[in-house]
Amino acid sequence: MGYINTRQCLDALEARGELVRIDTAVDARIEVGAIQRRVFLAGGPALLFTNVKGCRFPMAANIYGTRERMHFIFRDTIATVRRLMKLKLNPMEALRHPLRYLGAPRTAWHTLPRSVGTGPVMEHETTISALPQLVSWPMDGGGYVTLPQVYTESPDNPGYAGSNMGMYRVQLTGNDFLPDREVGLHYQIHRGIGHHHAQALAKGQPLRVNVFVGGPPAMTLAAVMPLPEGLAELFFAGAMAGHRIPMVSREGGLPIPAQADFCICGMVMPGEQKPEGPFGDHLGYYSLTHDFPVMRVDRVFHRSDAIWPFTTVGRPPQEDTVFGEFIHEMTAELVPSVFSGVHEVHAVDAAGVHPLLLAVGSERYVPYAQDRQPQELLTNAMSLLGNTQTSLSKYVVIAAREDMEPGLSCHDIPAFFGHMLRRVDLTRDLHFITRTTMDTLDYSGISLNQGSKLVLAAAGSPRRTLAAELPSGLDLPRGFRNARVFAPGIMVLKGPAHRRKRDQQDPAFDRLGEILSQVRGIEGFPLIVVADDAGFTAKDWDNFLWVTFTRSDPATDIYGAGAFTNAKHWGATLAVVIDARLKTYHAPPLAPDPEVERRVDALGAPGGPLHGII
């Protein structure tokens, strides 16, 4: 059976030597977040901060910081839940291998929450200002909940079956929020809570919201799980927990997990919004201040031995990277059943997840053709852009499985890029979608939630040899310099500082494309990236992916050598040029506080609690 609450889970990790207690006084502002990030990057243990300055509640971090730890926490249920998912994919499996699925009915029973009259979470009440006020980055707007389980129920279909539980940002303090009476509720587009909020607005009534913190680890996992619409996360939590989740029923209010550490209860009133942010986000930049719904706080409950679990986010990899990898393990076999014709997907963590999606699909529309071209692949790509969280992808790069060497996967990023760049027809295979919906955290577009997408699909035989050395006689226009080969077929340049306004292209790049088109051998570099710092960008794949795909909007920032437009179709005869400079309107990148980093260094010095870990 899975762990029923946070403390039970931490005790088990400590017994395994996978938890370190830090009794040194630490500050929830900047310091604990910096410690968590350093320990995560070192592959270190979970952390329990027992002495948080100005707060009586201990804080726990890095609980899910390694793949091995995730598997340990969910060791009792992961195999059964994966079999249950496979059974949904192919019920005949149960008839072929009945012994493998003996636990499936019991797991299905665990999905049903169990109503109880009370529980540990109801033992005490507190205030918002008494909670740990985690501030992860220097410019953050206030204290935040970073591992919340935000629970709502459909006003049109109340009850567990119509519930949603997501991990949406909750700002506890700062800005114009009334102390102890209001918190900010930042939910991005394409989230289940949005449907509930729309229903409440249509009825002209408040939307009740409960924010759970802690409790069974399965609840945290369920809150980030990209489940199909209509499948309640609470049901998935029961399956992963290995027991029915006990929920305290409250007259006139939403239910509360009996074993949660904390619960903030309140409601979002129709039409009430206030500025929320800024906040360091998982793309590696600050998401800036924007108006989001306000949650009026009614009660704040907590258990006697409450622990405040938290994480911090920033440029990948971070702890949420491990969640993503774990989710991929759980759902990889379901991809073909959700996206017809798609065999594999990879939302690239190093690029911030939503900015870049790599995929492998089928190209079977014209099997008798001597050489394939993307046709079914485009249907595959539109399916990816029309369903679940993959719909937020900005760049979709999709290859035909029929052309791939045995063993090649879109998770092997260098090999996959090489495969695509050898085959892509730059005059035909770039398909833009403009003025469309974008990820809320992506500031590369023309406005909040609005930008463009690019589908790059390649099928058929190789059409070029990728160059590994710069062309001789490469003479760049003024302001462009430091050309270097990043990988076969990929060149990186340093460009001048960006000076244009939002939603404007840069004529200097048109000139660059004209000059490049005259360079003999430039066709060996079908992808050219211009950045502020060519050395940093070309240092490794993580840097290249992060700079290229978080700092560019396809419609605004793609140019070409031999560029043309024909009947509204854009292409390039020789090379695609991506403007990946920081723009005047971009959010600033995250940067650590040097003084705090020095304090963290001291914790890792001989005699410090993190000596030998960081």
Side-chain angles (χ1 to χ4, degrees), residues 425-436:
D425 183 342
L426 300 177
T427 68
R428 180 194 65 200
D429 295 341
L430 283 78
H431 305 274
F432 292 85
I433 304 170
T434 62
R435 302 300 205 230
T436 191

Side-chain angles (χ1 to χ4, degrees), residues 216-499:
M219 292 285 281
T220 298
L221 176 63
V224 298
M225 194 76 182
L227 298 175
E229 190 173 333
L231 178 58
E233 290 81 5
L234 194 56
F235 296 167
F236 178 82
M240 284 304 298
H243 62 267
R244 298 176 67 191
I245 301 295
M247 301 291 289
V248 179
S249 300
R250 295 177 61 232
E251 186 71 29
L254 297 176
I256 301 173
Q259 292 291 338
D261 288 82
F262 299 86
C263 179
I264 304 169
C265 304
M267 61 182 66
V268 176
M269 305 301 293
E272 285 195 1
Q273 299 179 31
K274 282 190 174 183
E276 182 269 355
F279 180 78
D281 66 44
H282 70 264
L283 268 70
Y285 307 88
Y286 286 97
S287 57
L288 303 180
T289 303
H290 300 283
D291 285 351
F292 279 94
V294 177
M295 175 179 164
R296 293 189 185 179
V297 177
D298 295 329
R299 315 276 290 274
V300 182
F301 296 100
H302 71 92
R303 58 190 299 146
S304 296
D305 58 349
I307 298 171
W308 185 268
F310 76 93
T311 190
T312 57
V313 294
R315 182 191 160 185
Q318 301 287 347
E319 189 174 5
D320 54 2
T321 300
V322 182
F323 277 110
E325 293 171 347
F326 189 77
I327 289 168
H328 173 75
E329 283 186 55
M330 298 284 292
T331 61
E333 291 188 74
L334 297 179
V335 167
S337 70
V338 177
F339 308 108
S340 178
V342 178
H343 305 286
E344 186 182 22
V345 296
H346 180 193
V348 180
D349 181 70
V353 181
H354 292 318
L356 178 62
L357 180 72
L358 308 181
V360 177
S362 292
E363 190 48 73
R364 304 164 297 186
Y365 278 4
V366 189
Y368 50 82
Q370 288 187 342
D371 194 20
R372 280 180 297 279
Q373 69 180 53
Q375 295 179 56
E376 185 179 3
L377 287 182
L378 300 180
T379 302
N380 298 161
M382 293 305 130
S383 176
L384 289 166
L385 289 174
N387 288 279
T388 69
Q389 293 300 306
T390 62
S391 67
L392 294 176
S393 303
K394 181 168 60 174
Y395 288 87
V396 178
V397 182
I398 185 167
R401 185 172 68 168
E402 292 79 3
D403 302 323
M404 297 178 69
E405 296 290 333
L408 178 59
S409 164
C410 60
H411 287 266
D412 183 347
I413 293 175
F416 188 77
F417 264 76
H419 173 91
M420 292 294 297
L421 293 176
R422 282 191 292 272
R423 287 167 173 78
V424 64
D425 183 342
L426 300 177
T427 68
R428 180 194 65 200
D429 295 341
L430 283 78
H431 305 274
F432 292 85
I433 304 170
T434 62
R435 302 300 205 230
T436 191
T437 305
M438 294 296 297
D439 179 15
T440 304
L441 301 182
D442 192 327
Y443 282 87
S444 67
I446 60 175
S447 67
L448 185 68
N449 293 331
Q450 189 178 29
S452 65
K453 300 177 186 291
L454 173 67
V455 173
L456 191 154
S461 304
R463 60 183 62 250
R464 68 178 59 80
T465 298
L466 303 180
E469 295 182 1
L470 292 175
S472 60
L474 180 61
D475 188 16
L476 299 172
R478 183 178 179 182
F480 296 90
R481 60 186 187 275
N482 294 354
R484 61 191 66 204
V485 177
F486 167 65
I490 304 176
M491 184 190 302
V492 175
L493 311 175
K494 174 179 174 57
H498 183 265
R499 304 294 185 195

Side-chain angles (χ1 to χ4, degrees), residues 69 77 104 106 162 213 218 242 317 363 408 419 422 458 463 521 590 611:
R69 201 143 61 238
T77 56
R106 183 172 64 252
V213 180
E363 190 48 73
L408 178 59
H419 173 91
R422 282 191 292 272
R463 60 183 62 250
L590 301 176
H611 180 59

Side-chain angles (χ1 to χ4, degrees), residues 20-29 31-32 35 47-60 132 603:
V20 168
R21 292 174 179 261
I22 298 180
D23 299 324
T24 305
V26 293
D27 198 331
R29 177 176 175 80
E31 188 174 8
V32 292
I35 295 169
L47 304 168
L48 181 61
F49 300 95
T50 60
N51 186 4
V52 180
K53 293 179 181 178
C55 182
R56 61 191 178 92
F57 297 110
M59 301 175 72
L603 295 175

Side-chain angles (χ1 to χ4, degrees), residues 577-606:
V577 179
I578 298 180
D579 178 2
R581 299 171 298 170
L582 277 171
K583 311 301 190 297
T584 56
Y585 46 86
H586 282 182
L590 301 176
D593 183 316
E595 175 57 35
V596 171
E597 294 300 319
R598 283 191 286 272
R599 296 207 300 268
V600 177
D601 289 339
L603 295 175

